[in-house]
Amino acid sequence: MDSYPAIEDHGLIGDLQTAALVTCDGTVDWFCAPRFDSPSIFAALLDKEKGGFFRIAPHDVRYVTKQLYLPGTPILITRFISADGVAEVTDFMPVTGERAIDAHRLVRLVTMVRGSMRFRVECRPRFDYAREGHQLEAHRHGYVFRSRSATLTFNPVDPVRQLISERGDIRLEGNDLVAYGTLNEGDTGGVVLETAGTQPRIISQEEVQGMFEWTRDYWRRWLDRSRYTGRWREMVERSAITLKLMTYAPTGAMIAAPTAALPELVGGTRNWDYRYTWVRDTSFSVHALLGLGFTEEVSRYIDWLDERIREAGDHRDPLKIMYRVDGSSDLHEEVLDHLEGYRGSRPVRIGNGAADQLQLDIHGEALYAMHLADEQGIRVSHQVWQSTVRLVDWLCNHWDQADAGIWESRHHPRNYTFGRVMSWVALDRAIRLATRTGRPGAIASWSEQRNRIYNQVMDRGFDRNRGTFVQAYGENMLDAALLAMPAVGFVTPNDPLWRSTLNAIERELVSDSLVHRYDPYHSPDGLPGHEGTFNMCTFWYVEALARSGRLDDARLTFEKMFTFSNHLGLYAEEIAATGEQIGNYPQAFSHLALINSALALNDLLDTDANSASHLHRS
């Protein structure tokens, strides 16, 4: 690899236990196994020289590439178009199921559509973030890359001659594999990589076609369960597939992103590992998934969340902000000094030191998700409810303290307004749950604390001099997290206090419809440098505009955001000043916020259209 591809120049494939990124030029430059948070096998995305990659691309041919998904699936097709011919590389991972396994397959098929091309195949794994060496074993029907802790089996697809024509066209460069083959019109070839494999074998066309059809049909059957029929169906469905791809099937937990250490500023230090499950992110996804009709996914996540609530409530501790997909909470942060980072963005971090922060708002997101699920008949057990009561009781005694906030500041703790708002949400939804289900709880005490929070936010979270809600008590900085206040019901969209806040956010945090989380210069977060605009906040802005009755502004802002997605409809975490995508990719927060905005905006547009039609008839 000569240079780093743009973050947005990637497609995502996965099997519901792990995932891989594939560039527009046919390179797998990020792949961890057997889980999302496992050590990498290919990580050229973080170090083009040392990280390792697997590339299939034309050799000595001038070409352009186009990339698309097979409709209704995450099966990725990369097209190579030249004067000599047109070829397609189809990449996918067969779905593994709900039992955690070590063996995962990455299928790469090449089809010559027109003319002929010579291809170069390079497989250069670098195990354990390029910290482990490996040996390459040549077998009769393939190859095995073997390190101390992992293996990767290289299985050719029959007929082998069409992609890797003769033994003379295969070179072993150290312990890496480089091969050449010429394809003519109508020819097909391919490779199936398998983790934790044993003896390599030649895989028949019939078998690989079966893998393809099973994967295609699985995803289309899944997507058929969606009940979304509104505007922007294509973007909503792609976002739903992306969220599903980032869900760990054995537990139902959703990761924030499948990547680690992609920078929020190229060359900067804000490079975090997002391959974990944030209670906040996944809880917000409950609204999106329920809105689309995916109740099974919500039920699986609520089961996972129930276990975390039991652990916290039974120990009378707060929830942790993030966990591994299996529910464990050891996320020790480590710097990989031997990797240069994406385009020189260092340090490269794995693990996440924010895991032990106190962030009060997550209790609101968790109870909000539980409340929404309960409304759809997804109810918790008696034991989980008892733990929930203990957790809510803990919050009653601890909500009035400084914390790290939703943006995980590594500066000193502060009294964040959003943390108080979401603590109010936690108590409010707990009261509603207990009242609706008739389950026991200290409703009088919860109500008293809920009212105290509300009054405190109105007294200390609203700066009367500037006429806005602010990021933290005693300060006058804005925070885009406040855009969620109407959506969670803390304020009404037409409240003058809220309208003045929205206007101030527009003046100070919105740039050409894109929204910054906050101003790190005036509101220090303990880290050097700056960052781009935050996609989730832009989608929150869309919803806030719509709820405030500014439907034309909301729709224009929403559709402007589509111009910042990549060619596949995927979003990273942020948008740089240059317009390119930055941060970990793709980002669950971005896609779930897109869905929630689409649901809310579509309903409000329909209501407005129906009202206009009624007035016209009158």
Side-chain angles (χ1 to χ4, degrees):
M1 295 181 65
D2 298 327
S3 62
Y4 289 95
I7 289 172
E8 63 209 66
D9 286 347
H10 290 83
L12 177 72
I13 60 174
D15 65 4
L16 304 184
Q17 293 191 21
T18 187
L21 294 185
V22 186
T23 69
C24 290
D25 71 349
T27 302
V28 178
D29 62 0
W30 182 255
F31 176 52
C32 301
R35 293 193 330 200
F36 295 111
D37 57 355
S38 296
S40 66
I41 295 174
F42 302 121
L45 189 59
L46 297 181
D47 193 308
K48 65 181 186 295
E49 299 295 337
K50 300 177 184 176
F53 62 91
F54 179 24
R55 186 179 187 194
I56 300 177
H59 180 63
D60 286 341
V61 177
R62 292 177 61 87
Y63 60 83
V64 296
T65 66
K66 303 291 181 181
Q67 210 171 44
L68 72 156
Y69 280 119
L70 184 70
T73 80
I75 296 173
L76 186 66
I77 302 171
T78 304
R79 290 170 53 81
F80 297 96
I81 304 168
S82 76
D84 298 322
V86 176
E88 294 181 346
V89 176
T90 300
D91 289 302
F92 65 94
M93 297 180 68
V95 176
T96 50
E98 296 182 359
R99 182 175 62 86
I101 60 174
D102 291 334
H104 299 267
R105 292 171 295 179
L106 198 162
V107 182
R108 312 204 70 192
L109 303 177
V110 187
T111 303
M112 199 67 217
V113 178
R114 172 176 60 79
S116 64
M117 283 186 189
R118 186 164 174 79
F119 280 81
R120 176 182 171 97
V121 179
E122 291 182 82
C123 192
R124 303 180 184 273
R126 297 293 183 266
F127 295 91
D128 189 22
Y129 309 105
R131 294 184 293 191
E132 285 187 5
H134 68 273
Q135 298 297 316
L136 175 57
E137 303 171 359
H139 293 252
R140 180 181 179 187
H141 296 308
Y143 299 85
V144 176
F145 300 89
R146 192 181 304 278
S147 76
R148 177 179 56 82
S149 63
T151 61
L152 185 68
T153 304
F154 186 100
N155 304 291
V157 174
D158 192 44
V160 178
R161 68 181 187 279
Q162 291 187 355
L163 186 59
I164 305 174
S165 56
E166 300 291 344
R167 285 285 174 177
D169 287 335
I170 298 174
R171 295 206 314 264
L172 305 185
E173 296 186 358
N175 288 303
D176 298 330
L177 176 66
V178 180
Y180 298 86
T182 300
L183 296 183
N184 298 309
E185 187 169 325
D187 287 348
T188 61
V191 174
V192 177
L193 290 186
E194 186 172 9
T195 63
T198 52
Q199 287 288 103
R201 61 191 178 91
I202 296 174
I203 296 179
S204 69
Q205 284 282 341
E206 292 76 17
E207 182 178 355
V208 81
Q209 182 66 20
M211 295 180 193
F212 173 85
E213 291 177 359
W214 159 250
T215 304
R216 178 198 63 198
D217 294 347
Y218 171 89
W219 285 99
R220 287 181 172 171
R221 285 195 305 269
W222 180 81
L223 194 58
D224 283 345
R225 290 167 42 204
S226 172
R227 64 186 182 209
Y228 182 79
T229 58
R231 305 165 180 85
W232 314 295
R233 182 170 177 176
E234 183 177 351
M235 292 297 290
V236 167
E237 290 186 345
R238 180 53 54 192
S239 290
I241 290 172
T242 304
L243 292 179
K244 179 70 171 176
L245 276 174
M246 289 190 277
T247 301
Y248 184 66
T251 63
M254 181 185 296
I255 58 170
T259 56
L262 291 182
E264 297 174 15
L265 173 69
V266 173
T269 63
R270 298 167 182 258
N271 317 317
W272 314 110
D273 189 348
Y274 276 15
R275 298 171 299 157
Y276 310 112
T277 298
W278 269 253
V279 169
R280 176 187 304 110
D281 302 37
T282 315
S283 294
F284 275 136
S285 76
V286 166
H287 185 273
L289 294 171
L290 286 175
L292 300 181
F294 293 115
T295 55
E296 181 180 331
E297 283 68 25
V298 171
S299 181
R300 295 296 311 285
Y301 169 65
I302 291 297
D303 288 343
W304 182 91
L305 178 62
D306 288 350
E307 287 298 314
R308 310 291 79 77
I309 289 175
R310 284 181 56 188
E311 293 164 0
D314 292 353
H315 291 91
R316 289 176 168 78
D317 288 331
L319 283 169
K320 289 186 176 292
I321 68 167
M322 71 181 90
Y323 301 84
R324 293 187 182 274
V325 289
D326 62 1
S328 60
S329 56
D330 177 16
L331 278 73
H332 172 69
E333 189 169 292
E334 180 180 0
V335 172
L336 302 180
D337 285 324
H338 63 290
L339 299 180
E340 74 167 4
Y342 177 80
R343 295 185 180 176
S345 303
R346 305 183 70 178
V348 174
R349 296 183 179 91
I350 57 173
N352 200 307
D356 293 323
Q357 288 184 346
L358 174 65
Q359 296 178 20
L360 291 169
D361 69 279
I362 62 169
H363 303 93
E365 284 101 14
L367 268 295
Y368 184 66
M370 186 182 291
H371 165 71
L372 289 174
D374 185 84
E375 287 185 323
Q376 299 298 317
I378 304 169
R379 294 184 172 167
V380 301
S381 68
H382 167 69
Q383 187 175 9
V384 170
W385 177 251
Q386 287 183 310
S387 300
T388 303
V389 168
R390 285 190 283 270
L391 183 64
V392 175
D393 288 342
W394 178 92
L395 186 62
C396 282
N397 294 319
H398 294 87
W399 63 264
D400 194 10
Q401 62 178 301
D403 71 333
I406 180 176
W407 308 128
E408 299 174 2
S409 171
R410 299 203 175 191
H411 200 44
H412 61 80
R414 299 153 77 190
N415 294 308
Y416 287 97
T417 302
F418 184 75
R420 299 303 201 278
V421 169
M422 294 309 294
S423 294
W424 176 91
V425 170
L427 294 170
D428 181 73
R429 293 338 187 249
I431 293 165
R432 296 191 198 189
L433 278 166
T435 302
R436 182 167 62 240
T437 62
R439 286 178 165 174
I443 294 179
S445 174
W446 297 352
S447 298
E448 179 185 357
Q449 294 302 316
R450 179 191 62 181
N451 296 342
R452 282 189 60 201
I453 297 171
Y454 182 89
N455 291 329
Q456 187 189 85
V457 169
M458 290 301 182
D459 181 46
R460 300 178 61 191
F462 187 84
D463 186 317
R464 282 161 178 76
N465 290 326
R466 64 175 305 174
T468 70
F469 290 101
V470 291
Q471 183 178 57
Y473 294 172
E475 304 177 18
N476 64 358
M477 295 299 104
L478 293 170
D479 189 334
L482 301 174
L483 289 166
M485 291 175 70
V488 299
F490 188 88
V491 295
T492 61
N494 58 357
D495 190 311
L497 304 184
W498 165 246
R499 286 186 177 274
S500 63
T501 302
L502 177 59
N503 291 337
I505 288 175
E506 285 187 297
R507 290 192 304 270
E508 299 181 29
L509 296 182
V510 178
S511 174
D512 187 29
S513 80
L514 301 175
V515 182
H516 291 274
R517 294 189 292 181
Y518 52 91
D519 180 351
Y521 179 77
H522 292 101
S523 181
D525 54 15
L527 298 164
H530 60 275
E531 61 179 18
T533 55
F534 205 74
N535 291 334
M536 181 188 69
C537 293
T538 303
F539 288 122
W540 280 1
Y541 175 52
V542 169
E543 188 169 347
L545 288 172
R547 290 180 182 275
S548 296
R550 296 169 55 185
L551 292 176
D552 287 343
D553 292 339
R555 184 167 189 173
L556 178 59
T557 301
F558 191 49
E559 300 205 7
K560 274 187 178 180
M561 270 302 287
F562 293 166
T563 69
F564 291 101
S565 75
N566 80 338
H567 56 288
L568 298 168
L570 303 182
Y571 290 90
E573 183 178 25
E574 300 181 7
I575 305 296
T578 58
E580 65 182 324
Q581 299 204 35
I582 52 176
N584 283 302
Y585 170 93
Q587 174 82 356
F589 243 162
S590 300
H591 286 279
L592 68 89
L594 183 155
I595 294 171
N596 283 332
S597 295
L599 291 168
L601 181 55
N602 191 76
D603 286 348
L604 290 167
L605 287 169
D606 285 348
T607 300
D608 186 63
N610 290 335
S611 297
S613 175
H614 177 73
L615 288 173
H616 179 73
R617 289 195 303 270
S618 300

